[in-house]
PDB file of all heavy atoms in Angstrom:
ATOM      1  N   LYS A  20     -62.479   3.667  -2.775  1.00 67.00           N
ATOM      2  CA  LYS A  20     -63.064   2.968  -3.909  1.00 67.00           C
ATOM      3  C   LYS A  20     -62.476   1.580  -4.053  1.00 67.00           C
ATOM      4  O   LYS A  20     -61.268   1.379  -3.986  1.00 67.00           O
ATOM      5  CB  LYS A  20     -62.811   3.780  -5.177  1.00 67.00           C
ATOM      6  CG  LYS A  20     -63.504   3.222  -6.409  1.00 67.00           C
ATOM      7  CD  LYS A  20     -63.272   4.132  -7.592  1.00 67.00           C
ATOM      8  CE  LYS A  20     -63.951   3.599  -8.845  1.00 67.00           C
ATOM      9  NZ  LYS A  20     -63.703   4.474 -10.010  1.00 67.00           N
ATOM     10  N   THR A  33     -82.416  -9.337  -5.048  1.00 95.00           N
ATOM     11  CA  THR A  33     -83.768  -9.827  -5.317  1.00 95.00           C
ATOM     12  C   THR A  33     -84.037 -11.176  -4.681  1.00 95.00           C
ATOM     13  O   THR A  33     -85.190 -11.611  -4.630  1.00 95.00           O
ATOM     14  CB  THR A  33     -83.998  -9.931  -6.840  1.00 95.00           C
ATOM     15  OG1 THR A  33     -83.054 -10.856  -7.405  1.00 95.00           O
ATOM     16  CG2 THR A  33     -83.850  -8.562  -7.501  1.00 95.00           C
ATOM     17  N   TYR A  55     -59.518  -7.151  11.400  1.00 97.00           N
ATOM     18  CA  TYR A  55     -59.377  -8.065  12.538  1.00 97.00           C
ATOM     19  C   TYR A  55     -58.338  -9.171  12.330  1.00 97.00           C
ATOM     20  O   TYR A  55     -57.923  -9.806  13.291  1.00 97.00           O
ATOM     21  CB  TYR A  55     -60.730  -8.700  12.876  1.00 97.00           C
ATOM     22  CG  TYR A  55     -61.603  -7.857  13.770  1.00 97.00           C
ATOM     23  CD1 TYR A  55     -62.831  -7.385  13.330  1.00 97.00           C
ATOM     24  CD2 TYR A  55     -61.204  -7.505  15.058  1.00 97.00           C
ATOM     25  CE1 TYR A  55     -63.643  -6.606  14.157  1.00 97.00           C
ATOM     26  CE2 TYR A  55     -62.000  -6.719  15.882  1.00 97.00           C
ATOM     27  CZ  TYR A  55     -63.226  -6.282  15.422  1.00 97.00           C
ATOM     28  OH  TYR A  55     -64.019  -5.508  16.238  1.00 97.00           O
ATOM     29  N   HIS A  66     -50.696   0.468  20.607  1.00 98.00           N
ATOM     30  CA  HIS A  66     -50.994   1.821  21.066  1.00 98.00           C
ATOM     31  C   HIS A  66     -51.840   1.824  22.338  1.00 98.00           C
ATOM     32  O   HIS A  66     -52.290   2.866  22.791  1.00 98.00           O
ATOM     33  CB  HIS A  66     -51.717   2.599  19.954  1.00 98.00           C
ATOM     34  CG  HIS A  66     -51.684   4.078  20.111  1.00 98.00           C
ATOM     35  ND1 HIS A  66     -52.791   4.819  20.471  1.00 98.00           N
ATOM     36  CD2 HIS A  66     -50.670   4.984  19.960  1.00 98.00           C
ATOM     37  CE1 HIS A  66     -52.470   6.101  20.536  1.00 98.00           C
ATOM     38  NE2 HIS A  66     -51.199   6.241  20.221  1.00 98.00           N
ATOM     39  N   ASP A  77     -42.044  -0.327  15.167  1.00 96.00           N
ATOM     40  CA  ASP A  77     -43.295  -0.200  15.913  1.00 96.00           C
ATOM     41  C   ASP A  77     -43.039   0.281  17.330  1.00 96.00           C
ATOM     42  O   ASP A  77     -43.766   1.132  17.854  1.00 96.00           O
ATOM     43  CB  ASP A  77     -44.024  -1.546  15.975  1.00 96.00           C
ATOM     44  CG  ASP A  77     -44.424  -2.063  14.611  1.00 96.00           C
ATOM     45  OD1 ASP A  77     -44.621  -1.239  13.701  1.00 96.00           O
ATOM     46  OD2 ASP A  77     -44.522  -3.290  14.445  1.00 96.00           O
ATOM     47  N   GLN A 102     -64.149   0.673   3.938  1.00 97.00           N
ATOM     48  CA  GLN A 102     -64.537  -0.383   2.997  1.00 97.00           C
ATOM     49  C   GLN A 102     -65.703  -1.185   3.569  1.00 97.00           C
ATOM     50  O   GLN A 102     -66.693  -1.442   2.875  1.00 97.00           O
ATOM     51  CB  GLN A 102     -63.358  -1.324   2.725  1.00 97.00           C
ATOM     52  CG  GLN A 102     -63.708  -2.440   1.752  1.00 97.00           C
ATOM     53  CD  GLN A 102     -62.605  -3.476   1.642  1.00 97.00           C
ATOM     54  OE1 GLN A 102     -62.465  -4.348   2.498  1.00 97.00           O
ATOM     55  NE2 GLN A 102     -61.803  -3.378   0.587  1.00 97.00           N
ATOM     56  N   GLU A 109     -74.119  -0.219   0.867  1.00 96.00           N
ATOM     57  CA  GLU A 109     -74.655  -0.759  -0.381  1.00 96.00           C
ATOM     58  C   GLU A 109     -75.655  -1.874  -0.106  1.00 96.00           C
ATOM     59  O   GLU A 109     -76.677  -1.987  -0.787  1.00 96.00           O
ATOM     60  CB  GLU A 109     -73.520  -1.256  -1.273  1.00 96.00           C
ATOM     61  CG  GLU A 109     -72.655  -0.154  -1.848  1.00 96.00           C
ATOM     62  CD  GLU A 109     -71.740  -0.647  -2.954  1.00 96.00           C
ATOM     63  OE1 GLU A 109     -72.190  -1.492  -3.754  1.00 96.00           O
ATOM     64  OE2 GLU A 109     -70.580  -0.207  -3.010  1.00 96.00           O
ATOM     65  N   GLU A 128     -80.431 -10.769   7.633  1.00 98.00           N
ATOM     66  CA  GLU A 128     -79.221 -10.303   6.956  1.00 98.00           C
ATOM     67  C   GLU A 128     -79.103  -8.783   7.037  1.00 98.00           C
ATOM     68  O   GLU A 128     -78.007  -8.243   7.224  1.00 98.00           O
ATOM     69  CB  GLU A 128     -79.232 -10.760   5.494  1.00 98.00           C
ATOM     70  CG  GLU A 128     -79.258 -12.273   5.295  1.00 98.00           C
ATOM     71  CD  GLU A 128     -78.039 -12.980   5.860  1.00 98.00           C
ATOM     72  OE1 GLU A 128     -76.917 -12.440   5.715  1.00 98.00           O
ATOM     73  OE2 GLU A 128     -78.198 -14.069   6.443  1.00 98.00           O
ATOM     74  N   LYS A 169     -68.700  13.781  17.136  1.00 98.00           N
ATOM     75  CA  LYS A 169     -68.879  12.397  17.617  1.00 98.00           C
ATOM     76  C   LYS A 169     -70.324  12.087  17.945  1.00 98.00           C
ATOM     77  O   LYS A 169     -70.772  10.946  17.754  1.00 98.00           O
ATOM     78  CB  LYS A 169     -67.994  12.166  18.853  1.00 98.00           C
ATOM     79  CG  LYS A 169     -66.518  12.147  18.574  1.00 98.00           C
ATOM     80  CD  LYS A 169     -65.726  11.721  19.809  1.00 98.00           C
ATOM     81  CE  LYS A 169     -65.857  12.737  20.925  1.00 98.00           C
ATOM     82  NZ  LYS A 169     -65.042  12.365  22.116  1.00 98.00           N
ATOM     83  N   VAL A 172     -72.110  10.604  15.091  1.00 98.00           N
ATOM     84  CA  VAL A 172     -71.675   9.232  14.818  1.00 98.00           C
ATOM     85  C   VAL A 172     -72.324   8.275  15.806  1.00 98.00           C
ATOM     86  O   VAL A 172     -72.831   7.209  15.426  1.00 98.00           O
ATOM     87  CB  VAL A 172     -70.139   9.134  14.893  1.00 98.00           C
ATOM     88  CG1 VAL A 172     -69.683   7.710  14.557  1.00 98.00           C
ATOM     89  CG2 VAL A 172     -69.485  10.130  13.941  1.00 98.00           C
ATOM     90  N   ASN A 186     -84.211  -6.784  13.910  1.00 98.00           N
ATOM     91  CA  ASN A 186     -84.214  -7.668  12.739  1.00 98.00           C
ATOM     92  C   ASN A 186     -83.422  -8.961  12.896  1.00 98.00           C
ATOM     93  O   ASN A 186     -83.705  -9.939  12.202  1.00 98.00           O
ATOM     94  CB  ASN A 186     -83.679  -6.904  11.525  1.00 98.00           C
ATOM     95  CG  ASN A 186     -84.627  -5.822  11.058  1.00 98.00           C
ATOM     96  OD1 ASN A 186     -85.834  -6.017  11.006  1.00 98.00           O
ATOM     97  ND2 ASN A 186     -84.091  -4.649  10.725  1.00 98.00           N
ATOM     98  N   VAL A 210     -71.654   0.699  24.113  1.00 99.00           N
ATOM     99  CA  VAL A 210     -71.742   2.073  23.622  1.00 99.00           C
ATOM    100  C   VAL A 210     -72.184   3.005  24.747  1.00 99.00           C
ATOM    101  O   VAL A 210     -71.584   4.069  24.974  1.00 99.00           O
ATOM    102  CB  VAL A 210     -72.724   2.152  22.432  1.00 99.00           C
ATOM    103  CG1 VAL A 210     -73.014   3.618  22.068  1.00 99.00           C
ATOM    104  CG2 VAL A 210     -72.158   1.411  21.224  1.00 99.00           C
ATOM    105  N   VAL A 212     -71.977   2.534  28.011  1.00 98.00           N
ATOM    106  CA  VAL A 212     -70.929   2.621  29.029  1.00 98.00           C
ATOM    107  C   VAL A 212     -69.843   3.597  28.582  1.00 98.00           C
ATOM    108  O   VAL A 212     -69.323   4.382  29.378  1.00 98.00           O
ATOM    109  CB  VAL A 212     -70.353   1.222  29.323  1.00 98.00           C
ATOM    110  CG1 VAL A 212     -69.047   1.322  30.107  1.00 98.00           C
ATOM    111  CG2 VAL A 212     -71.353   0.380  30.103  1.00 98.00           C
ATOM    112  N   ILE A 260     -70.259 -14.354  22.256  1.00 98.00           N
ATOM    113  CA  ILE A 260     -71.378 -13.501  21.855  1.00 98.00           C
ATOM    114  C   ILE A 260     -71.214 -13.066  20.404  1.00 98.00           C
ATOM    115  O   ILE A 260     -72.157 -13.066  19.631  1.00 98.00           O
ATOM    116  CB  ILE A 260     -71.490 -12.286  22.787  1.00 98.00           C
ATOM    117  CG1 ILE A 260     -71.812 -12.755  24.222  1.00 98.00           C
ATOM    118  CG2 ILE A 260     -72.556 -11.311  22.295  1.00 98.00           C
ATOM    119  CD1 ILE A 260     -71.857 -11.638  25.251  1.00 98.00           C
ATOM    120  N   GLN A 286     -42.733 -20.722  10.150  1.00 91.00           N
ATOM    121  CA  GLN A 286     -42.344 -19.316  10.163  1.00 91.00           C
ATOM    122  C   GLN A 286     -43.438 -18.475  10.809  1.00 91.00           C
ATOM    123  O   GLN A 286     -44.621 -18.681  10.566  1.00 91.00           O
ATOM    124  CB  GLN A 286     -42.074 -18.828   8.740  1.00 91.00           C
ATOM    125  CG  GLN A 286     -40.889 -19.494   8.086  1.00 91.00           C
ATOM    126  CD  GLN A 286     -39.589 -19.176   8.821  1.00 91.00           C
ATOM    127  OE1 GLN A 286     -39.292 -18.014   9.091  1.00 91.00           O
ATOM    128  NE2 GLN A 286     -38.817 -20.192   9.133  1.00 91.00           N
ATOM    129  N   ASN A 323     -35.969 -25.954  16.205  1.00 94.00           N
ATOM    130  CA  ASN A 323     -35.332 -25.677  14.930  1.00 94.00           C
ATOM    131  C   ASN A 323     -36.303 -25.999  13.803  1.00 94.00           C
ATOM    132  O   ASN A 323     -37.319 -26.679  14.000  1.00 94.00           O
ATOM    133  CB  ASN A 323     -34.065 -26.524  14.770  1.00 94.00           C
ATOM    134  CG  ASN A 323     -33.027 -26.185  15.821  1.00 94.00           C
ATOM    135  OD1 ASN A 323     -32.742 -25.014  16.076  1.00 94.00           O
ATOM    136  ND2 ASN A 323     -32.449 -27.212  16.441  1.00 94.00           N
ATOM    137  N   ILE A 384     -71.490  -1.419  35.834  1.00 98.00           N
ATOM    138  CA  ILE A 384     -72.702  -0.612  35.704  1.00 98.00           C
ATOM    139  C   ILE A 384     -73.485  -0.590  37.022  1.00 98.00           C
ATOM    140  O   ILE A 384     -73.922   0.471  37.497  1.00 98.00           O
ATOM    141  CB  ILE A 384     -73.586  -1.183  34.571  1.00 98.00           C
ATOM    142  CG1 ILE A 384     -72.898  -1.030  33.214  1.00 98.00           C
ATOM    143  CG2 ILE A 384     -74.947  -0.503  34.560  1.00 98.00           C
ATOM    144  CD1 ILE A 384     -73.535  -1.870  32.115  1.00 98.00           C
ATOM    145  N   ALA A 393     -74.579  -4.733  45.411  1.00 98.00           N
ATOM    146  CA  ALA A 393     -75.436  -5.237  44.343  1.00 98.00           C
ATOM    147  C   ALA A 393     -74.629  -5.705  43.134  1.00 98.00           C
ATOM    148  O   ALA A 393     -75.092  -6.542  42.354  1.00 98.00           O
ATOM    149  CB  ALA A 393     -76.426  -4.153  43.924  1.00 98.00           C
ATOM    150  N   MET A 432     -61.968  -2.168  36.822  1.00 98.00           N
ATOM    151  CA  MET A 432     -61.176  -1.909  35.621  1.00 98.00           C
ATOM    152  C   MET A 432     -59.992  -2.858  35.531  1.00 98.00           C
ATOM    153  O   MET A 432     -59.588  -3.259  34.432  1.00 98.00           O
ATOM    154  CB  MET A 432     -60.708  -0.446  35.601  1.00 98.00           C
ATOM    155  CG  MET A 432     -61.841   0.581  35.589  1.00 98.00           C
ATOM    156  SD  MET A 432     -63.051   0.334  34.263  1.00 98.00           S
ATOM    157  CE  MET A 432     -62.066   0.732  32.819  1.00 98.00           C
ATOM    158  N   THR A 459     -53.036   8.383  34.964  1.00 98.00           N
ATOM    159  CA  THR A 459     -52.613   7.871  36.274  1.00 98.00           C
ATOM    160  C   THR A 459     -52.555   6.345  36.333  1.00 98.00           C
ATOM    161  O   THR A 459     -51.660   5.788  36.973  1.00 98.00           O
ATOM    162  CB  THR A 459     -53.547   8.382  37.384  1.00 98.00           C
ATOM    163  OG1 THR A 459     -54.891   7.950  37.120  1.00 98.00           O
ATOM    164  CG2 THR A 459     -53.506   9.897  37.459  1.00 98.00           C
ATOM    165  N   VAL A 462     -50.438   5.310  31.848  1.00 98.00           N
ATOM    166  CA  VAL A 462     -49.182   5.943  31.443  1.00 98.00           C
ATOM    167  C   VAL A 462     -48.208   6.044  32.607  1.00 98.00           C
ATOM    168  O   VAL A 462     -47.043   5.614  32.507  1.00 98.00           O
ATOM    169  CB  VAL A 462     -49.467   7.329  30.838  1.00 98.00           C
ATOM    170  CG1 VAL A 462     -48.161   8.103  30.622  1.00 98.00           C
ATOM    171  CG2 VAL A 462     -50.224   7.188  29.522  1.00 98.00           C
ATOM    172  N   TYR A 481     -43.611   6.631  27.971  1.00 97.00           N
ATOM    173  CA  TYR A 481     -44.748   7.316  27.369  1.00 97.00           C
ATOM    174  C   TYR A 481     -44.698   8.793  27.745  1.00 97.00           C
ATOM    175  O   TYR A 481     -44.646   9.135  28.928  1.00 97.00           O
ATOM    176  CB  TYR A 481     -46.060   6.704  27.843  1.00 97.00           C
ATOM    177  CG  TYR A 481     -46.225   5.235  27.521  1.00 97.00           C
ATOM    178  CD1 TYR A 481     -46.969   4.406  28.350  1.00 97.00           C
ATOM    179  CD2 TYR A 481     -45.651   4.678  26.382  1.00 97.00           C
ATOM    180  CE1 TYR A 481     -47.150   3.065  28.058  1.00 97.00           C
ATOM    181  CE2 TYR A 481     -45.812   3.336  26.075  1.00 97.00           C
ATOM    182  CZ  TYR A 481     -46.565   2.521  26.925  1.00 97.00           C
ATOM    183  OH  TYR A 481     -46.732   1.195  26.632  1.00 97.00           O
ATOM    184  N   LEU A 494     -52.755  10.396   6.930  1.00 98.00           N
ATOM    185  CA  LEU A 494     -52.235  11.385   5.987  1.00 98.00           C
ATOM    186  C   LEU A 494     -52.923  11.262   4.636  1.00 98.00           C
ATOM    187  O   LEU A 494     -53.217  12.275   3.982  1.00 98.00           O
ATOM    188  CB  LEU A 494     -50.728  11.210   5.841  1.00 98.00           C
ATOM    189  CG  LEU A 494     -50.013  12.227   4.957  1.00 98.00           C
ATOM    190  CD1 LEU A 494     -50.162  13.638   5.527  1.00 98.00           C
ATOM    191  CD2 LEU A 494     -48.536  11.862   4.820  1.00 98.00           C
ATOM    192  N   GLU A 496     -55.962  10.430   3.990  1.00 97.00           N
ATOM    193  CA  GLU A 496     -57.284  11.060   4.060  1.00 97.00           C
ATOM    194  C   GLU A 496     -57.159  12.575   3.986  1.00 97.00           C
ATOM    195  O   GLU A 496     -57.943  13.246   3.304  1.00 97.00           O
ATOM    196  CB  GLU A 496     -57.997  10.644   5.344  1.00 97.00           C
ATOM    197  CG  GLU A 496     -59.430  11.100   5.446  1.00 97.00           C
ATOM    198  CD  GLU A 496     -60.371  10.399   4.487  1.00 97.00           C
ATOM    199  OE1 GLU A 496     -59.964   9.382   3.877  1.00 97.00           O
ATOM    200  OE2 GLU A 496     -61.515  10.870   4.324  1.00 97.00           O
ATOM    201  N   ASN A 509     -55.972  15.726  14.501  1.00 98.00           N
ATOM    202  CA  ASN A 509     -56.146  15.612  15.947  1.00 98.00           C
ATOM    203  C   ASN A 509     -55.012  16.316  16.685  1.00 98.00           C
ATOM    204  O   ASN A 509     -53.895  16.421  16.171  1.00 98.00           O
ATOM    205  CB  ASN A 509     -56.236  14.145  16.353  1.00 98.00           C
ATOM    206  CG  ASN A 509     -57.597  13.553  16.072  1.00 98.00           C
ATOM    207  OD1 ASN A 509     -58.610  14.252  16.127  1.00 98.00           O
ATOM    208  ND2 ASN A 509     -57.639  12.270  15.752  1.00 98.00           N
ATOM    209  N   TYR A 512     -50.646  16.034  16.626  1.00 97.00           N
ATOM    210  CA  TYR A 512     -50.084  15.368  15.440  1.00 97.00           C
ATOM    211  C   TYR A 512     -49.789  16.363  14.337  1.00 97.00           C
ATOM    212  O   TYR A 512     -50.440  17.388  14.220  1.00 97.00           O
ATOM    213  CB  TYR A 512     -51.068  14.311  14.935  1.00 97.00           C
ATOM    214  CG  TYR A 512     -51.263  13.163  15.898  1.00 97.00           C
ATOM    215  CD1 TYR A 512     -52.405  13.084  16.687  1.00 97.00           C
ATOM    216  CD2 TYR A 512     -50.286  12.169  16.030  1.00 97.00           C
ATOM    217  CE1 TYR A 512     -52.585  12.036  17.566  1.00 97.00           C
ATOM    218  CE2 TYR A 512     -50.474  11.115  16.921  1.00 97.00           C
ATOM    219  CZ  TYR A 512     -51.618  11.056  17.692  1.00 97.00           C
ATOM    220  OH  TYR A 512     -51.795  10.014  18.571  1.00 97.00           O
TER     221      TYR A 512
END
Side-chain angles (χ1 to χ4, degrees):
K20 186 176 180 181
T33 61
Y55 276 117
H66 199 252
D77 298 333
Q102 180 188 79
E109 290 192 39
E128 299 298 320
K169 291 188 295 182
V172 182
N186 291 318
V210 170
V212 166
I260 296 176
Q286 295 296 310
N323 297 313
I384 294 165
M432 299 306 292
T459 59
V462 171
Y481 300 150
L494 184 62
E496 187 70 12
N509 282 329
Y512 294 103

